[in-house]
Amino acid sequence: MLLEKIEALKGQISNLKAENEEALEALRIKYLSKKGEITELFSEFRSVPPEQKREFGQRLNELKTLATDKINTLRDSFKAKEKETHKIDITRPAMPDEIGTRHPISLVRKEIIDIFSRLGFTLSEGPEVEDDWHVFSALNFAADHPARDMQDTFFINQDPDDVKRNIILRSHTSSVQVRTMERQQPPIRIICPGRVYRNEAITARAHCFFHQIEGLYIDKHVTFADLKQVLLYFAQELFGKDTKIRLRPSYFPFTEPSAEMDVSCMLCGGKGCGFCKHTGWVEILGCGMVDPNVLKASGIDPDVYSGYAFGLGIERITNLKYMVKDLRMFSENDVRFLDEFEAAH
């Protein structure tokens, strides 16, 4: 009977399985504790005849070893699984993983593009390193215009004998408008976003590079009234339905007549405050009707077509929307500053 019990327990122990540590501990108590089944068999060993004790003793020791090894093997498998689960991947970034946000300039740039896209304007882009023709000459700048001076322009290649041979960093995205007019006949309705460069001292209010969006619309019978209505729509979409605009006469070589556009101060509602210098107005862009000389330079007949153009600085608009006092913060990549725009994203 004792041999039969030993063989039966061997079969059970060989097929032992446990789902977790608690189940495994229950099996250990069942077979190997002081009151376990194997321990009870050792108690029965006393009644075995002397001539059979050697065989039974070997069988019992083998059974106990089998049970101990099986329990330890299952315990080791649990430890291996736990270790695999908690294995550290040293190539992963430090926790917690922080999700970045879009740059405030990118946020405002997209918002402006979306507004003009709803009016039918398409996106047009061009090179940042340009020739004098596309930046100045084709836009009705005189050969001795001060914008060509070293104080205003970064030169890649300068020819003192012929300014038209200069290679420069573009000082405005109007060069993209020229390139579009050269390769396309009206109707033309484009906006030209991009980075531009001016040789200026870097301060809280100015930088040697900044971002612009310029617009151009050329077709038959385009008037200043069309320009005013487009700019009013743009201002109200960007700053709110109660926004008012004001156009003041100005001068640009490439437009005639020309104007500067102000919007009613979004802080005081036009009543006057420190932000708008108590005038109730804040300047945001320049605009005007395209000069006939600019149309001629690009092969467009000014007797048939007319058009308007406008240009604004994205940093200027971003300052107005988010009250950023120092332009340098836009390009310093300070994470503390950029994190402030997480909600805007």
Side-chain angles (χ1 to χ4, degrees):
M1 291 293 294
L2 189 57
L3 285 176
E4 292 177 0
K5 288 182 179 181
I6 292 173
E7 293 300 322
L9 287 175
K10 276 186 177 181
Q12 293 178 23
I13 292 171
S14 298
N15 297 313
L16 283 182
K17 293 181 179 179
E19 295 181 356
N20 50 50
E21 290 278 359
E22 290 77 11
L24 182 61
E25 180 62 15
L27 291 175
R28 187 194 69 78
I29 292 173
K30 177 180 179 181
Y31 293 107
L32 295 173
S33 66
K34 290 183 178 181
K35 295 183 179 181
E37 295 183 21
I38 295 177
T39 304
E40 290 180 358
L41 287 179
F42 274 97
S43 299
E44 296 181 23
F45 180 70
R46 300 171 191 163
S47 59
V48 174
E51 65 275 9
Q52 296 180 355
K53 282 186 181 293
R54 183 176 181 180
E55 180 182 359
F56 281 102
Q58 290 178 346
R59 296 285 186 89
L60 283 174
N61 286 331
E62 290 174 358
L63 178 62
K64 184 177 181 180
T65 300
L66 175 65
T68 302
D69 290 346
K70 186 67 175 180
I71 296 295
N72 290 337
T73 299
L74 290 172
R75 183 176 289 111
D76 291 342
S77 68
F78 288 134
K79 290 181 179 179
K81 288 180 180 180
E82 183 178 359
K83 185 177 180 181
E84 184 68 26
T85 302
H86 294 87
K87 185 177 179 181
I88 298 176
D89 182 0
I90 62 174
T91 65
R92 291 188 61 188
M95 296 293 288
D97 295 333
E98 295 186 4
I99 300 176
T101 63
R102 296 181 67 185
H103 194 280
I105 296 295
S106 298
L107 291 170
V108 175
R109 178 182 185 271
K110 183 179 185 302
E111 186 175 1
I112 294 172
I113 291 174
D114 288 345
I115 293 172
F116 284 110
S117 294
R118 295 197 290 272
L119 292 171
F121 286 82
T122 58
L123 205 62
S124 186
E125 297 181 319
E128 295 181 9
V129 179
E130 269 286 11
D131 54 45
D132 179 273
W133 169 259
H134 291 96
V135 177
F136 294 129
S137 298
L139 291 166
N140 206 34
F141 282 80
D144 58 352
H145 195 283
R148 301 172 188 262
D149 290 348
M150 289 293 290
Q151 288 76 22
D152 293 324
T153 308
F154 286 108
F155 288 86
I156 304 302
N157 182 39
Q158 188 176 21
D159 190 332
D161 299 322
D162 186 0
V163 296
K164 295 182 179 180
R165 299 177 62 182
N166 291 336
I167 303 298
I168 57 181
L169 296 181
R170 66 184 182 187
S171 56
H172 48 197
T173 58
S174 301
S175 57
V176 183
Q177 298 181 14
V178 176
R179 289 184 174 274
T180 302
M181 289 188 289
E182 288 176 338
R183 67 173 181 266
Q184 177 183 337
Q185 283 294 304
I188 297 172
R189 194 195 301 258
I190 60 170
I191 50 174
C192 314
R195 186 163 47 190
V196 300
Y197 304 84
R198 306 274 175 89
N199 190 6
E200 298 182 5
I202 299 175
T203 67
R205 299 177 61 87
H207 211 294
C208 63
F209 72 88
F210 57 97
H211 299 79
Q212 273 190 338
I213 289 185
E214 297 197 13
L216 175 69
Y217 177 42
I218 300 176
D219 204 346
K220 296 178 180 179
H221 312 302
V222 177
T223 68
F224 202 96
D226 299 319
L227 170 62
K228 181 180 179 180
Q229 188 60 38
V230 164
L231 295 180
L232 176 62
Y233 173 83
F234 163 70
Q236 292 182 342
E237 287 293 300
L238 190 64
F239 297 112
K241 294 298 183 183
D242 295 330
T243 303
K244 298 179 176 60
I245 66 170
R246 180 178 71 175
L247 296 171
R248 294 178 287 105
S250 185
Y251 167 76
F252 302 108
F254 35 83
T255 54
E256 179 60 37
S258 304
E260 301 278 0
M261 189 183 92
D262 305 328
V263 295
S264 53
C265 180
M266 60 289 303
L267 292 185
C268 64
K271 296 179 181 180
C273 65
F275 181 74
C276 62
K277 300 179 181 179
H278 302 283
T279 64
W281 299 94
V282 179
E283 178 186 329
I284 65 166
L285 60 81
C287 61
M289 300 300 293
V290 179
D291 193 292
N293 290 333
V294 174
L295 296 176
K296 288 179 182 178
S298 296
I300 297 175
D301 189 348
D303 294 327
V304 178
Y305 298 103
S306 59
Y308 60 73
F310 56 86
L312 55 94
I314 301 179
E315 278 85 348
R316 176 66 170 164
I317 302 299
T318 308
N319 279 344
L320 296 176
K321 286 182 68 69
Y322 299 123
M323 306 304 168
V324 179
K325 297 180 180 179
D326 193 333
L327 279 175
R328 293 170 293 191
M329 298 180 73
F330 290 129
S331 55
E332 288 178 347
N333 292 326
D334 189 327
V335 176
R336 296 169 299 179
F337 170 71
L338 299 176
D339 284 344
E340 295 179 11
F341 297 90
E342 185 174 357
H345 176 72

mmCIF file of all heavy atoms in Angstrom, residues 70-109:
data_model
loop_
_atom_site.group_PDB
_atom_site.id
_atom_site.type_symbol
_atom_site.label_atom_id
_atom_site.label_comp_id
_atom_site.label_asym_id
_atom_site.label_seq_id
_atom_site.Cartn_x
_atom_site.Cartn_y
_atom_site.Cartn_z
ATOM 1 N N LYS A 70 10.235 20.397 -8.003
ATOM 2 C CA LYS A 70 9.100 20.891 -8.778
ATOM 3 C C LYS A 70 8.624 22.233 -8.231
ATOM 4 O O LYS A 70 8.353 23.181 -9.001
ATOM 5 C CB LYS A 70 7.960 19.861 -8.720
ATOM 6 C CG LYS A 70 6.788 20.217 -9.630
ATOM 7 C CD LYS A 70 7.171 20.135 -11.096
ATOM 8 C CE LYS A 70 5.983 20.368 -12.003
ATOM 9 N NZ LYS A 70 6.339 20.285 -13.430
ATOM 10 N N ILE A 71 8.533 22.340 -6.892
ATOM 11 C CA ILE A 71 8.108 23.605 -6.272
ATOM 12 C C ILE A 71 9.100 24.723 -6.590
ATOM 13 O O ILE A 71 8.725 25.844 -6.944
ATOM 14 C CB ILE A 71 7.977 23.428 -4.747
ATOM 15 C CG1 ILE A 71 6.874 22.407 -4.408
ATOM 16 C CG2 ILE A 71 7.698 24.768 -4.078
ATOM 17 C CD1 ILE A 71 5.486 22.835 -4.789
ATOM 18 N N ASN A 72 10.400 24.417 -6.492
ATOM 19 C CA ASN A 72 11.425 25.439 -6.768
ATOM 20 C C ASN A 72 11.423 25.867 -8.239
ATOM 21 O O ASN A 72 11.635 27.045 -8.558
ATOM 22 C CB ASN A 72 12.807 24.905 -6.391
ATOM 23 C CG ASN A 72 12.977 24.778 -4.887
ATOM 24 O OD1 ASN A 72 12.288 25.444 -4.115
ATOM 25 N ND2 ASN A 72 13.883 23.899 -4.444
ATOM 26 N N THR A 73 11.186 24.912 -9.142
ATOM 27 C CA THR A 73 11.147 25.234 -10.572
ATOM 28 C C THR A 73 9.989 26.184 -10.885
ATOM 29 O O THR A 73 10.149 27.172 -11.623
ATOM 30 C CB THR A 73 10.999 23.947 -11.412
ATOM 31 O OG1 THR A 73 12.128 23.100 -11.175
ATOM 32 C CG2 THR A 73 10.921 24.286 -12.901
ATOM 33 N N LEU A 74 8.814 25.903 -10.307
ATOM 34 C CA LEU A 74 7.672 26.781 -10.522
ATOM 35 C C LEU A 74 7.929 28.174 -9.924
ATOM 36 O O LEU A 74 7.580 29.197 -10.534
ATOM 37 C CB LEU A 74 6.416 26.166 -9.895
ATOM 38 C CG LEU A 74 5.863 24.915 -10.598
ATOM 39 C CD1 LEU A 74 4.737 24.292 -9.781
ATOM 40 C CD2 LEU A 74 5.366 25.253 -11.997
ATOM 41 N N ARG A 75 8.557 28.211 -8.734
ATOM 42 C CA ARG A 75 8.854 29.504 -8.104
ATOM 43 C C ARG A 75 9.832 30.311 -8.962
ATOM 44 O O ARG A 75 9.677 31.532 -9.131
ATOM 45 C CB ARG A 75 9.425 29.274 -6.715
ATOM 46 C CG ARG A 75 9.695 30.585 -5.964
ATOM 47 C CD ARG A 75 10.172 30.353 -4.551
ATOM 48 N NE ARG A 75 9.096 29.849 -3.701
ATOM 49 C CZ ARG A 75 9.031 28.608 -3.197
ATOM 50 N NH1 ARG A 75 9.994 27.741 -3.462
ATOM 51 N NH2 ARG A 75 8.021 28.240 -2.450
ATOM 52 N N ASP A 76 10.842 29.653 -9.529
ATOM 53 C CA ASP A 76 11.809 30.342 -10.384
ATOM 54 C C ASP A 76 11.156 30.885 -11.645
ATOM 55 O O ASP A 76 11.543 31.965 -12.144
ATOM 56 C CB ASP A 76 12.949 29.387 -10.769
ATOM 57 C CG ASP A 76 13.838 29.045 -9.587
ATOM 58 O OD1 ASP A 76 13.796 29.779 -8.580
ATOM 59 O OD2 ASP A 76 14.576 28.033 -9.670
ATOM 60 N N SER A 77 10.178 30.150 -12.171
ATOM 61 C CA SER A 77 9.502 30.624 -13.382
ATOM 62 C C SER A 77 8.710 31.896 -13.105
ATOM 63 O O SER A 77 8.661 32.809 -13.936
ATOM 64 C CB SER A 77 8.574 29.533 -13.940
ATOM 65 O OG SER A 77 7.480 29.297 -13.064
ATOM 66 N N PHE A 78 8.097 31.977 -11.902
ATOM 67 C CA PHE A 78 7.379 33.212 -11.528
ATOM 68 C C PHE A 78 8.337 34.383 -11.409
ATOM 69 O O PHE A 78 8.044 35.498 -11.841
ATOM 70 C CB PHE A 78 6.625 33.012 -10.211
ATOM 71 C CG PHE A 78 5.418 32.124 -10.324
ATOM 72 C CD1 PHE A 78 5.179 31.115 -9.407
ATOM 73 C CD2 PHE A 78 4.505 32.291 -11.359
ATOM 74 C CE1 PHE A 78 4.073 30.293 -9.509
ATOM 75 C CE2 PHE A 78 3.392 31.475 -11.475
ATOM 76 C CZ PHE A 78 3.173 30.473 -10.544
ATOM 77 N N LYS A 79 9.498 34.149 -10.805
ATOM 78 C CA LYS A 79 10.479 35.216 -10.646
ATOM 79 C C LYS A 79 10.993 35.699 -12.001
ATOM 80 O O LYS A 79 11.211 36.893 -12.207
ATOM 81 C CB LYS A 79 11.649 34.732 -9.783
ATOM 82 C CG LYS A 79 11.279 34.531 -8.322
ATOM 83 C CD LYS A 79 12.491 34.073 -7.527
ATOM 84 C CE LYS A 79 12.125 33.891 -6.052
ATOM 85 N NZ LYS A 79 13.287 33.431 -5.254
ATOM 86 N N ALA A 80 11.180 34.747 -12.944
ATOM 87 C CA ALA A 80 11.661 35.122 -14.278
ATOM 88 C C ALA A 80 10.635 35.984 -15.013
ATOM 89 O O ALA A 80 10.980 36.964 -15.679
ATOM 90 C CB ALA A 80 11.977 33.861 -15.086
ATOM 91 N N LYS A 81 9.351 35.616 -14.880
ATOM 92 C CA LYS A 81 8.298 36.396 -15.519
ATOM 93 C C LYS A 81 8.219 37.800 -14.923
ATOM 94 O O LYS A 81 8.051 38.786 -15.640
ATOM 95 C CB LYS A 81 6.949 35.691 -15.364
ATOM 96 C CG LYS A 81 6.804 34.439 -16.220
ATOM 97 C CD LYS A 81 5.444 33.810 -16.008
ATOM 98 C CE LYS A 81 5.297 32.551 -16.863
ATOM 99 N NZ LYS A 81 3.981 31.913 -16.665
ATOM 100 N N GLU A 82 8.337 37.894 -13.602
ATOM 101 C CA GLU A 82 8.292 39.191 -12.943
ATOM 102 C C GLU A 82 9.463 40.067 -13.372
ATOM 103 O O GLU A 82 9.314 41.257 -13.623
ATOM 104 C CB GLU A 82 8.313 38.990 -11.431
ATOM 105 C CG GLU A 82 8.190 40.288 -10.650
ATOM 106 C CD GLU A 82 8.166 40.059 -9.155
ATOM 107 O OE1 GLU A 82 8.232 38.884 -8.726
ATOM 108 O OE2 GLU A 82 8.097 41.048 -8.415
ATOM 109 N N LYS A 83 10.638 39.454 -13.484
ATOM 110 C CA LYS A 83 11.822 40.197 -13.916
ATOM 111 C C LYS A 83 11.670 40.685 -15.349
ATOM 112 O O LYS A 83 12.039 41.808 -15.683
ATOM 113 C CB LYS A 83 13.057 39.308 -13.792
ATOM 114 C CG LYS A 83 14.362 40.028 -14.110
ATOM 115 C CD LYS A 83 15.541 39.103 -13.890
ATOM 116 C CE LYS A 83 16.844 39.835 -14.209
ATOM 117 N NZ LYS A 83 18.019 38.940 -14.025
ATOM 118 N N GLU A 84 11.087 39.857 -16.204
ATOM 119 C CA GLU A 84 10.884 40.238 -17.606
ATOM 120 C C GLU A 84 9.880 41.380 -17.707
ATOM 121 O O GLU A 84 10.036 42.298 -18.518
ATOM 122 C CB GLU A 84 10.389 39.023 -18.404
ATOM 123 C CG GLU A 84 10.234 39.274 -19.895
ATOM 124 C CD GLU A 84 11.572 39.482 -20.576
ATOM 125 O OE1 GLU A 84 12.593 38.978 -20.072
ATOM 126 O OE2 GLU A 84 11.589 40.165 -21.613
ATOM 127 N N THR A 85 8.845 41.318 -16.851
ATOM 128 C CA THR A 85 7.825 42.355 -16.852
ATOM 129 C C THR A 85 8.395 43.708 -16.444
ATOM 130 O O THR A 85 8.034 44.750 -16.984
ATOM 131 C CB THR A 85 6.674 41.965 -15.906
ATOM 132 O OG1 THR A 85 6.134 40.712 -16.323
ATOM 133 C CG2 THR A 85 5.581 43.031 -15.925
ATOM 134 N N HIS A 86 9.320 43.699 -15.508
ATOM 135 C CA HIS A 86 9.890 44.941 -14.977
ATOM 136 C C HIS A 86 11.256 45.250 -15.581
ATOM 137 O O HIS A 86 12.013 46.049 -15.034
ATOM 138 C CB HIS A 86 10.009 44.851 -13.455
ATOM 139 C CG HIS A 86 8.683 44.774 -12.758
ATOM 140 N ND1 HIS A 86 8.025 43.585 -12.543
ATOM 141 C CD2 HIS A 86 7.877 45.753 -12.258
ATOM 142 C CE1 HIS A 86 6.887 43.819 -11.906
ATOM 143 N NE2 HIS A 86 6.759 45.120 -11.727
ATOM 144 N N LYS A 87 11.556 44.658 -16.710
ATOM 145 C CA LYS A 87 12.837 44.918 -17.353
ATOM 146 C C LYS A 87 12.905 46.378 -17.820
ATOM 147 O O LYS A 87 11.971 46.909 -18.408
ATOM 148 C CB LYS A 87 13.002 43.992 -18.567
ATOM 149 C CG LYS A 87 14.357 44.103 -19.223
ATOM 150 C CD LYS A 87 14.469 43.104 -20.370
ATOM 151 C CE LYS A 87 15.834 43.228 -21.049
ATOM 152 N NZ LYS A 87 15.957 42.281 -22.172
ATOM 153 N N ILE A 88 13.997 47.035 -17.537
ATOM 154 C CA ILE A 88 14.167 48.447 -17.866
ATOM 155 C C ILE A 88 14.817 48.597 -19.234
ATOM 156 O O ILE A 88 15.867 48.006 -19.502
ATOM 157 C CB ILE A 88 15.031 49.151 -16.797
ATOM 158 C CG1 ILE A 88 14.340 49.085 -15.431
ATOM 159 C CG2 ILE A 88 15.296 50.599 -17.189
ATOM 160 C CD1 ILE A 88 15.162 49.656 -14.307
ATOM 161 N N ASP A 89 14.184 49.369 -20.091
ATOM 162 C CA ASP A 89 14.746 49.683 -21.398
ATOM 163 C C ASP A 89 15.554 50.965 -21.265
ATOM 164 O O ASP A 89 15.004 52.069 -21.164
ATOM 165 C CB ASP A 89 13.619 49.862 -22.423
ATOM 166 C CG ASP A 89 14.142 50.149 -23.815
ATOM 167 O OD1 ASP A 89 15.385 50.204 -23.984
ATOM 168 O OD2 ASP A 89 13.330 50.330 -24.734
ATOM 169 N N ILE A 90 16.866 50.845 -21.238
ATOM 170 C CA ILE A 90 17.724 52.014 -21.004
ATOM 171 C C ILE A 90 17.753 52.960 -22.195
ATOM 172 O O ILE A 90 18.314 54.054 -22.116
ATOM 173 C CB ILE A 90 19.161 51.575 -20.650
ATOM 174 C CG1 ILE A 90 19.786 50.782 -21.813
ATOM 175 C CG2 ILE A 90 19.195 50.781 -19.364
ATOM 176 C CD1 ILE A 90 21.239 50.436 -21.593
ATOM 177 N N THR A 91 17.174 52.555 -23.333
ATOM 178 C CA THR A 91 17.147 53.436 -24.504
ATOM 179 C C THR A 91 15.937 54.375 -24.488
ATOM 180 O O THR A 91 15.866 55.294 -25.293
ATOM 181 C CB THR A 91 17.112 52.612 -25.805
ATOM 182 O OG1 THR A 91 15.884 51.870 -25.875
ATOM 183 C CG2 THR A 91 18.291 51.657 -25.867
ATOM 184 N N ARG A 92 14.982 54.128 -23.575
ATOM 185 C CA ARG A 92 13.790 54.983 -23.519
ATOM 186 C C ARG A 92 14.113 56.311 -22.854
ATOM 187 O O ARG A 92 15.002 56.399 -22.013
ATOM 188 C CB ARG A 92 12.670 54.290 -22.732
ATOM 189 C CG ARG A 92 12.079 53.076 -23.415
ATOM 190 C CD ARG A 92 10.873 52.589 -22.650
ATOM 191 N NE ARG A 92 9.841 53.622 -22.595
ATOM 192 C CZ ARG A 92 8.746 53.520 -21.848
ATOM 193 N NH1 ARG A 92 8.537 52.450 -21.107
ATOM 194 N NH2 ARG A 92 7.851 54.483 -21.846
ATOM 195 N N PRO A 93 13.373 57.370 -23.209
ATOM 196 C CA PRO A 93 13.570 58.657 -22.533
ATOM 197 C C PRO A 93 13.207 58.564 -21.064
ATOM 198 O O PRO A 93 12.449 57.673 -20.652
ATOM 199 C CB PRO A 93 12.607 59.593 -23.275
ATOM 200 C CG PRO A 93 12.254 58.893 -24.541
ATOM 201 C CD PRO A 93 12.373 57.425 -24.280
ATOM 202 N N ALA A 94 13.732 59.462 -20.280
ATOM 203 C CA ALA A 94 13.409 59.482 -18.861
ATOM 204 C C ALA A 94 11.932 59.766 -18.660
ATOM 205 O O ALA A 94 11.320 60.515 -19.411
ATOM 206 C CB ALA A 94 14.257 60.531 -18.151
ATOM 207 N N MET A 95 11.367 59.158 -17.655
ATOM 208 C CA MET A 95 9.955 59.387 -17.341
ATOM 209 C C MET A 95 9.815 60.642 -16.505
ATOM 210 O O MET A 95 10.718 60.981 -15.741
ATOM 211 C CB MET A 95 9.399 58.176 -16.597
ATOM 212 C CG MET A 95 9.413 56.912 -17.432
ATOM 213 S SD MET A 95 8.275 56.992 -18.829
ATOM 214 C CE MET A 95 6.715 56.855 -17.977
ATOM 215 N N PRO A 96 8.696 61.354 -16.576
ATOM 216 C CA PRO A 96 7.594 61.066 -17.503
ATOM 217 C C PRO A 96 7.866 61.615 -18.902
ATOM 218 O O PRO A 96 8.630 62.560 -19.057
ATOM 219 C CB PRO A 96 6.429 61.816 -16.857
ATOM 220 C CG PRO A 96 7.086 62.979 -16.179
ATOM 221 C CD PRO A 96 8.411 62.473 -15.683
ATOM 222 N N ASP A 97 7.255 60.982 -19.886
ATOM 223 C CA ASP A 97 7.393 61.461 -21.260
ATOM 224 C C ASP A 97 6.548 62.726 -21.435
ATOM 225 O O ASP A 97 5.331 62.698 -21.235
ATOM 226 C CB ASP A 97 6.925 60.392 -22.258
ATOM 227 C CG ASP A 97 7.823 59.167 -22.219
ATOM 228 O OD1 ASP A 97 9.001 59.327 -21.861
ATOM 229 O OD2 ASP A 97 7.352 58.064 -22.533
ATOM 230 N N GLU A 98 7.192 63.827 -21.788
ATOM 231 C CA GLU A 98 6.482 65.083 -21.976
ATOM 232 C C GLU A 98 6.235 65.341 -23.460
ATOM 233 O O GLU A 98 7.143 65.206 -24.272
ATOM 234 C CB GLU A 98 7.279 66.243 -21.377
ATOM 235 C CG GLU A 98 7.430 66.155 -19.866
ATOM 236 C CD GLU A 98 8.096 67.384 -19.289
ATOM 237 O OE1 GLU A 98 8.360 68.320 -20.069
ATOM 238 O OE2 GLU A 98 8.349 67.403 -18.072
ATOM 239 N N ILE A 99 5.010 65.688 -23.790
ATOM 240 C CA ILE A 99 4.641 65.969 -25.174
ATOM 241 C C ILE A 99 4.863 67.449 -25.448
ATOM 242 O O ILE A 99 4.439 68.309 -24.679
ATOM 243 C CB ILE A 99 3.175 65.592 -25.430
ATOM 244 C CG1 ILE A 99 2.973 64.094 -25.170
ATOM 245 C CG2 ILE A 99 2.770 65.953 -26.851
ATOM 246 C CD1 ILE A 99 1.547 63.638 -25.312
ATOM 247 N N GLY A 100 5.572 67.756 -26.527
ATOM 248 C CA GLY A 100 5.857 69.143 -26.868
ATOM 249 C C GLY A 100 4.644 69.860 -27.445
ATOM 250 O O GLY A 100 3.575 69.274 -27.656
ATOM 251 N N THR A 101 4.806 71.141 -27.697
ATOM 252 C CA THR A 101 3.728 71.946 -28.264
ATOM 253 C C THR A 101 4.238 72.672 -29.506
ATOM 254 O O THR A 101 5.441 72.744 -29.746
ATOM 255 C CB THR A 101 3.234 72.993 -27.250
ATOM 256 O OG1 THR A 101 4.322 73.888 -26.951
ATOM 257 C CG2 THR A 101 2.781 72.341 -25.966
ATOM 258 N N ARG A 102 3.326 73.185 -30.285
ATOM 259 C CA ARG A 102 3.722 73.959 -31.456
ATOM 260 C C ARG A 102 4.208 75.332 -31.020
ATOM 261 O O ARG A 102 3.742 75.897 -30.033
ATOM 262 C CB ARG A 102 2.543 74.093 -32.417
ATOM 263 C CG ARG A 102 2.082 72.760 -32.986
ATOM 264 C CD ARG A 102 0.937 72.944 -33.941
ATOM 265 N NE ARG A 102 1.348 73.665 -35.139
ATOM 266 C CZ ARG A 102 0.495 74.038 -36.092
ATOM 267 N NH1 ARG A 102 -0.779 73.772 -35.987
ATOM 268 N NH2 ARG A 102 0.937 74.683 -37.154
ATOM 269 N N HIS A 103 5.164 75.865 -31.768
ATOM 270 C CA HIS A 103 5.736 77.166 -31.462
ATOM 271 C C HIS A 103 4.668 78.247 -31.669
ATOM 272 O O HIS A 103 3.826 78.141 -32.564
ATOM 273 C CB HIS A 103 6.931 77.427 -32.376
ATOM 274 C CG HIS A 103 7.798 78.554 -31.952
ATOM 275 N ND1 HIS A 103 7.475 79.878 -32.208
ATOM 276 C CD2 HIS A 103 8.981 78.576 -31.288
ATOM 277 C CE1 HIS A 103 8.422 80.653 -31.725
ATOM 278 N NE2 HIS A 103 9.351 79.893 -31.155
ATOM 279 N N PRO A 104 4.654 79.302 -30.823
ATOM 280 C CA PRO A 104 3.635 80.351 -30.983
ATOM 281 C C PRO A 104 3.638 80.988 -32.373
ATOM 282 O O PRO A 104 2.572 81.346 -32.894
ATOM 283 C CB PRO A 104 3.998 81.375 -29.895
ATOM 284 C CG PRO A 104 5.386 81.024 -29.462
ATOM 285 C CD PRO A 104 5.508 79.561 -29.669
ATOM 286 N N ILE A 105 4.822 81.122 -32.987
ATOM 287 C CA ILE A 105 4.872 81.675 -34.350
ATOM 288 C C ILE A 105 4.146 80.744 -35.320
ATOM 289 O O ILE A 105 3.399 81.179 -36.204
ATOM 290 C CB ILE A 105 6.336 81.871 -34.802
ATOM 291 C CG1 ILE A 105 7.035 82.914 -33.931
ATOM 292 C CG2 ILE A 105 6.393 82.278 -36.267
ATOM 293 C CD1 ILE A 105 6.475 84.301 -34.047
ATOM 294 N N SER A 106 4.333 79.433 -35.139
ATOM 295 C CA SER A 106 3.657 78.462 -36.011
ATOM 296 C C SER A 106 2.146 78.486 -35.802
ATOM 297 O O SER A 106 1.373 78.349 -36.752
ATOM 298 C CB SER A 106 4.198 77.049 -35.743
ATOM 299 O OG SER A 106 5.571 76.964 -36.037
ATOM 300 N N LEU A 107 1.723 78.656 -34.551
ATOM 301 C CA LEU A 107 0.291 78.723 -34.260
ATOM 302 C C LEU A 107 -0.374 79.898 -34.975
ATOM 303 O O LEU A 107 -1.414 79.753 -35.624
ATOM 304 C CB LEU A 107 0.072 78.842 -32.749
ATOM 305 C CG LEU A 107 0.414 77.616 -31.895
ATOM 306 C CD1 LEU A 107 0.385 77.986 -30.418
ATOM 307 C CD2 LEU A 107 -0.554 76.481 -32.169
ATOM 308 N N VAL A 108 0.249 81.077 -34.863
ATOM 309 C CA VAL A 108 -0.329 82.277 -35.474
ATOM 310 C C VAL A 108 -0.222 82.206 -36.996
ATOM 311 O O VAL A 108 -1.136 82.615 -37.721
ATOM 312 C CB VAL A 108 0.365 83.532 -34.922
ATOM 313 C CG1 VAL A 108 -0.130 84.786 -35.636
ATOM 314 C CG2 VAL A 108 0.114 83.654 -33.425
ATOM 315 N N ARG A 109 0.905 81.691 -37.495
ATOM 316 C CA ARG A 109 1.082 81.553 -38.953
ATOM 317 C C ARG A 109 -0.044 80.706 -39.544
ATOM 318 O O ARG A 109 -0.646 81.073 -40.552
ATOM 319 C CB ARG A 109 2.441 80.917 -39.242
ATOM 320 C CG ARG A 109 2.736 80.669 -40.720
ATOM 321 C CD ARG A 109 4.092 79.986 -40.840
ATOM 322 N NE ARG A 109 4.499 79.811 -42.215
ATOM 323 C CZ ARG A 109 4.200 78.755 -42.972
ATOM 324 N NH1 ARG A 109 3.456 77.788 -42.473
ATOM 325 N NH2 ARG A 109 4.615 78.680 -44.222
#
